[in-house]
Amino acid sequence: MNIKSIVSAVISAVFVSAAGLAVFTAGSATTNSGTNAIAATTVNTTKSSGTTTSLTTETTTATTEPTTEPTTLKTYIIKFLDFDGKLMKTVEVEEGDPINYKSVDTSSLHKHLGVNTEQDFYAWDITPSFADNDYTIHALSQTATITFKNSPKKYRYFSTKGNVILDGLEVSVKKTVQKPEKDKNGNYITEENVVDISASCKASPSSLSEAFAKSDKATITVYPLGDTKSLCQFDIVCYRDLGDVNEDGYINSVDASAVLNAYANMAASKNYTVSDKFIKLADVNMDGAVNARDASYILNYYAKTSTSKEFMDWESFLDYDKILGTK
């Protein structure tokens, strides 16, 4: 047999077998459109070395990731209620999002319950940060009530210098705050605190010169600090410059000497007279007469007020409630 013919026959058989394998592989490849796509690739490599021929076939498979449909987040309902349990606002918040408390207008909760009672927003009973459930949130209140007890004790003045004195005034504020906790009846527990505000109250007019600018009598109105609603009114009277008989702006030994001299002259002569104003200024004990007692009181007044650092006027020396029989 011819060797060349044998070799040619073998090579032809190999080519036929390789072609058949390629056709079979291509025919058996399938594609799954739902999940995986399979691509078959056949690579034929023929090597010839003398009388030997080899065939190599490689197959590569590629896959694609499945697609996922987007999901919708849950929405929660947040309700805000006022002090009386009435709905103020409803908001919808997606799960996990923060709850915006500033979106609720709490200024509408401020109101006056009376002349001296005021109510305002204090806090929310619960304050969840994020929406993880439906919530009903109640507003808690703070209520302030001003209580007036006593008017100032000082209503007699002996000069137009200085300011109206509010000593004896008694005014307090009771603050009631609702707490998140509830009692056995389901009502919010309240906490009360009373503060004395007497020292912070203001008089109008505040200066004696303004109060007695047109008369020796005046009406003073008292207000809490920063408020325009009055607490009380009281009348004051001025015994202007009592004891200052020479009207030089000072009460001293000169005035005492003048009173004593006038008394001596009036006692010595019925014809000796002094002015009505002199009598009004000299009669410091208000008994209707000018005498040595008045001179003694004036001298005593001068001695004590000239050495004392505390405020003193004629009521520090004489009981005018008893003298005048009125208060």
Side-chain angles (χ1 to χ4, degrees):
M1 182 179 289
N2 191 336
I3 294 176
K4 184 181 292 187
S5 299
I6 294 173
V7 171
S8 297
V10 171
I11 292 173
S12 298
V14 171
F15 282 160
V16 171
S17 299
L21 179 61
V23 171
F24 173 77
T25 303
S28 62
T30 60
T31 301
N32 187 334
S33 60
T35 56
N36 298 327
I38 302 175
T41 304
T42 303
V43 179
N44 297 328
T45 305
T46 304
K47 295 182 180 180
S48 177
S49 176
T51 60
T52 304
T53 302
S54 63
L55 177 65
T56 302
T57 302
E58 295 181 2
T59 302
T60 303
T61 303
T63 61
T64 59
E65 293 295 330
T67 58
T68 304
E69 294 294 330
T71 58
T72 303
L73 292 176
K74 186 174 181 179
T75 299
Y76 291 108
I77 304 299
I78 313 298
K79 294 181 179 180
F80 294 91
L81 307 184
D82 65 10
F83 304 144
D84 301 319
K86 296 179 181 178
L87 182 65
M88 293 178 64
K89 187 173 184 177
T90 300
V91 295
E92 295 183 1
V93 185
E94 287 190 348
E95 184 176 16
D97 282 355
I99 299 173
N100 184 11
Y101 292 90
K102 292 183 179 180
S103 67
V104 185
D105 181 17
T106 57
S107 64
S108 61
L109 298 176
H110 177 264
K111 55 186 174 182
H112 292 274
L113 303 180
V115 177
N116 293 320
T117 301
E118 199 168 345
Q119 191 175 60
D120 204 353
F121 171 77
Y122 177 68
W124 299 109
D125 65 339
I126 56 173
T127 54
S129 299
F130 299 95
D132 57 0
N133 208 335
D134 292 333
Y135 287 106
T136 299
I137 303 175
H138 294 255
L140 301 177
S141 68
Q142 56 180 345
T143 306
T145 301
I146 299 177
T147 302
F148 166 75
K149 293 182 179 180
N150 290 311
S151 297
K153 295 179 179 179
K154 180 73 173 175
Y155 69 95
R156 293 190 189 94
Y157 292 87
F158 302 90
S159 172
T160 58
K161 297 177 182 178
N163 296 320
V164 175
I165 298 172
L166 296 182
D167 291 354
L169 177 70
E170 290 187 42
V171 182
S172 62
V173 173
K174 182 175 74 172
K175 185 177 180 181
T176 304
V177 176
Q178 286 184 322
K179 294 297 183 179
E181 300 80 13
K182 293 184 178 181
D183 59 20
K184 61 182 180 180
N185 297 320
N187 299 317
Y188 289 109
I189 296 173
T190 58
E191 182 178 88
E192 293 185 354
N193 186 28
V194 179
V195 179
D196 190 319
I197 62 168
S198 304
S200 65
C201 293
K202 302 297 180 183
S204 179
S206 59
S207 69
L208 294 175
S209 59
E210 183 181 358
F212 298 123
K214 297 180 179 180
S215 172
D216 287 338
K217 294 182 179 180
T219 298
I220 304 300
T221 305
V222 179
Y223 297 92
L225 182 64
D227 204 338
T228 58
K229 297 184 293 295
S230 64
L231 291 171
C232 68
Q233 288 185 324
F234 65 102
D235 295 327
I236 60 175
V237 61
C238 183
Y239 298 94
R240 201 181 299 258
D241 302 325
L242 186 67
D244 183 17
V245 294
N246 64 356
E247 300 181 69
D248 65 351
Y250 302 95
I251 300 173
N252 50 34
S253 59
V254 176
D255 299 297
S257 179
V259 171
L260 191 60
N261 185 53
Y263 166 66
N265 288 329
M266 286 187 292
S269 174
K270 294 182 179 180
N271 295 325
Y272 184 84
T273 60
V274 293
S275 67
D276 291 341
K277 188 172 185 180
F278 182 93
I279 295 174
K280 182 179 179 180
L281 295 177
D283 186 17
V284 294
N285 64 356
M286 298 185 186
D287 63 354
V290 176
N291 50 38
R293 292 192 187 90
D294 297 305
S296 177
Y297 285 133
I298 292 173
L299 194 60
N300 186 39
Y301 178 95
Y302 166 64
K304 289 187 176 180
T305 56
S306 61
T307 58
S308 176
K309 294 181 179 180
E310 297 180 0
F311 171 80
M312 300 179 73
D313 65 9
W314 280 110
E315 284 194 302
S316 303
F317 299 88
L318 296 167
D319 185 356
Y320 288 102
D321 290 339
K322 183 177 180 180
I323 292 172
L324 300 176
T326 58
K327 188 173 181 179

